[in-house]
Amino acid sequence: MTALNSHKSDTLFDRAKSVIPGGVNSPVRAYKSVGRNPLFITKASGSKIWDADGNAFIDYVGSWGPMILGHAHHRVIEAIRKAALDGTSYGAPTEYEVRMAELICKIFPSIDMVRMVNSGTEATMSAVRLARAFTGREKIIKFEGCYHGHGDAFLIKAGSGAMTFSVPDSPGVPAGVAEGTLTATFNDLASVQALLDKHRNSVAAVIVEPVVGNMGCIPPETGFLQGLQSACTKAGTLLIFDEVMTGFRVALGGAQELYGIKPDLTTLGKIIGGGLPVGAYGGRRDIMEMVAPQGPMYQAGTLSGNPLAMVAGLETLSAIMDDPKFYSRLEAKAARLTSGLQKVIDALWLPLKQNRVGSMFTLFFAKQPVRDYATAAASDREKFGIFFREMLERGIALAPSQFEAGFVSIAHSDEDIDKTIEAARQSLAMIYR
Ligand code: KE4
């Protein structure tokens, strides 16, 4: 393969590193775990992105989830353009926020009220504070390898970039905060029950990625989510579904629609901002009424419910809902990809495993099925890095970490997908020759 010309990206990265920690504004973008400099992107459209050197790639990062329609969808761009002519932020309520809240409450039966914030991290931090305020309890249970943003309480055995860079327990988190976070094993109900029994009446909430994206994609095993819900109900502990990634992704109503669960609180983000900064938390009315100014639990944000983010999200959801076959079409695209990859794996007898839920997927360089942190962590990161680089050389931009999910958008064509499968066949044949 001819080496990718990335001269302009490399130059930009050198400049960036002298003024931005690690040269990036979010660690996983640095490509550190895949052994090359990051590409600096100049534009994107549909399923494609272009870097500073003019190289085009079929993109499976999709801004880490928001780009379910594909990049620069004309309806979203036009909505932002029009709204921007009326100003970019008022620091005052707008009708857009009411429409977004009404739409979320309509789509998610478990959500009676919702508060908009500016990121998934803000959403999960606020949801946990609210659970503690509502229950009067202090501890929370999360799952090893799950990632809920960079709030102190969550950087305990965290996934995503924290897992990628092996800093699952970040320095700077006070011991007192760390003590408040208990960790269980995903897909292992007994590990949850043991903690609830040991810390009886002191666990405010269990927070879970109902379909994990941040160890790579890991689906819940049959009965796991239902078991979580009943264990929480019995213990008087709130169940928080972190659907920042899965909301509107694995189904319009997220994982809770897919698996028939009504969590007490839900966090959302990504898709509901259409690519602009957004997050949200919502749930049972009796809980949400504790949030200021209606109740005593304080949470605020200068740009919460920003009009441009609202219109981008509203137009994204409207475009999805205008197509009654949207999710079946998206499923067919993702299934085409992973069944094509499976044919390559089987033909070459490769020790690789795939997980997929809807349009979230991960190819694990693992000999055993990946069902939790330990089986994910056993993946061959070095081989993944080589695979990532080989795919990039062939015009395919995967998520730059073994511990991230990839995303198929409605804009990915059969041609894109078939090209991806062929690139994977060539790359894997080279790695395992
Ligand atoms: P943000 O604060 O990054 O908007 O959202 C945090 C978050 C919360 N919950 C879940 C389930 C998430 O996946 C995320 C963020 N996802 C990562 C991708 N794994 C964002 C990418 C990044 O950190 O740059």
Side-chain angles (χ1 to χ4, degrees):
M1 287 305 301
T2 49
L4 205 59
N5 165 27
S6 53
H7 175 68
K8 287 183 178 161
S9 281
D10 294 341
T11 306
L12 282 166
F13 192 42
D14 287 341
R15 280 173 53 195
K17 281 187 288 188
S18 60
V19 286
I20 304 171
V24 292
N25 283 313
S26 198
V28 73
R29 303 178 190 173
Y31 279 21
K32 265 179 98 170
S33 73
V34 290
R36 60 153 294 136
N37 285 348
L39 299 179
F40 280 64
I41 303 307
T42 55
K43 72 171 185 169
S45 175
S47 61
K48 308 283 186 309
I49 56 174
W50 282 263
D51 70 10
D53 296 279
N55 301 304
F57 303 88
I58 298 168
D59 176 35
Y60 289 98
V61 177
S63 180
W64 303 101
M67 298 294 119
I68 195 168
L69 297 180
H71 290 284
H73 190 282
H74 64 93
R75 288 180 55 171
V76 176
I77 299 302
E78 182 52 25
I80 295 169
R81 193 191 64 79
K82 248 175 93 218
L85 297 174
D86 294 334
T88 53
S89 177
Y90 315 123
T94 66
E95 183 188 345
Y96 296 132
E97 294 158 87
V98 181
R99 284 171 45 203
M100 176 62 86
E102 288 171 341
L103 187 55
I104 290 170
C105 293
K106 186 169 149 228
I107 294 170
F108 286 81
S110 72
I111 300 180
D112 301 325
M113 299 185 96
V114 62
R115 167 62 62 84
M116 302 309 298
V117 293
N118 297 288
S119 69
T121 294
E122 271 192 77
T124 54
M125 281 169 61
S126 308
V128 160
R129 182 184 306 140
L130 176 57
R132 287 172 160 151
F134 182 78
T135 60
R137 300 177 177 181
E138 295 205 348
K139 295 201 181 299
I140 62 167
I141 294 174
K142 74 175 287 287
F143 292 87
E144 192 174 14
C146 282
Y147 180 74
H148 305 289
H150 64 86
D152 279 353
F154 304 122
L155 291 181
I156 316 293
K157 296 185 182 173
S160 184
M163 184 171 178
T164 302
F165 301 122
S166 305
V167 283
D169 306 294
S170 169
V173 175
V177 171
E179 277 154 27
T181 301
L182 309 168
T183 48
T185 303
F186 190 73
N187 276 327
D188 176 353
L189 276 173
S191 71
V192 180
Q193 194 56 58
L195 290 171
L196 289 171
D197 291 345
K198 183 175 176 200
H199 302 276
R200 193 174 299 281
N201 302 327
S202 57
V203 179
V206 171
I207 184 166
V208 65
E209 291 182 57
V211 173
V212 180
N214 290 295
M215 288 189 253
C217 177
I218 301 181
E221 288 170 351
T222 307
F224 176 66
L225 297 176
Q226 288 76 3
L228 261 192
Q229 183 168 49
S230 55
C232 286
T233 305
K234 258 187 285 179
T237 293
L238 298 184
L239 177 58
I240 303 175
F241 264 23
D242 179 356
E243 297 227 44
V244 166
M245 189 183 284
T246 53
F248 311 95
R249 169 61 63 177
V250 298
L252 185 65
Q256 53 196 273
E257 175 186 311
L258 204 56
Y259 298 102
I261 302 282
K262 276 186 87 171
D264 300 297
L265 292 173
T266 298
T267 54
L268 298 167
K270 296 182 191 277
I271 289 172
I272 53 170
L276 272 66
V278 76
Y281 65 101
R284 282 172 27 198
R285 183 175 298 280
D286 61 326
I287 303 174
M288 291 303 292
E289 285 175 342
M290 285 206 73
V291 179
Q294 187 161 354
M297 189 221 88
Y298 196 72
Q299 177 270 314
T302 303
L303 295 171
S304 295
N306 172 270
L308 302 192
M310 292 299 98
V311 296
L314 283 166
E315 200 60 33
T316 297
L317 298 182
S318 164
I320 291 171
M321 296 168 77
D322 283 352
D323 175 359
K325 295 192 179 325
F326 183 89
Y327 286 98
S328 55
R329 287 173 54 221
L330 193 58
E331 171 63 26
K333 290 173 184 288
R336 183 186 185 101
L337 175 65
T338 51
S339 57
L341 291 175
Q342 197 55 49
K343 286 195 182 83
V344 170
I345 292 166
D346 296 345
L348 298 172
W349 292 85
L350 301 179
L352 303 179
K353 293 287 178 285
Q354 291 193 93
N355 283 342
R356 177 175 72 82
V357 178
S359 54
M360 285 171 63
F361 68 95
T362 300
L363 175 61
F364 288 97
F365 282 70
K367 296 186 176 67
Q368 302 303 325
V370 177
R371 59 184 296 275
D372 57 16
Y373 180 83
T375 45
S379 304
D380 186 327
R381 303 173 197 208
E382 195 192 336
K383 282 201 171 68
F384 176 83
I386 299 167
F387 180 64
F388 175 87
R389 297 195 298 275
E390 288 297 324
M391 292 292 274
L392 208 58
E393 297 286 349
R394 292 172 172 79
I396 312 297
L398 299 174
S401 163
Q402 174 68 97
F403 308 117
E404 293 288 357
F407 302 96
V408 177
S409 81
I410 205 73
H412 281 79
S413 65
D414 287 355
E415 188 195 357
D416 291 333
I417 291 166
D418 295 348
K419 180 179 176 192
T420 305
I421 295 163
E422 175 52 21
R425 190 192 61 74
Q426 293 174 17
S427 304
L428 292 170
M430 192 279 292
I431 294 168
Y432 288 97
R433 64 170 171 256

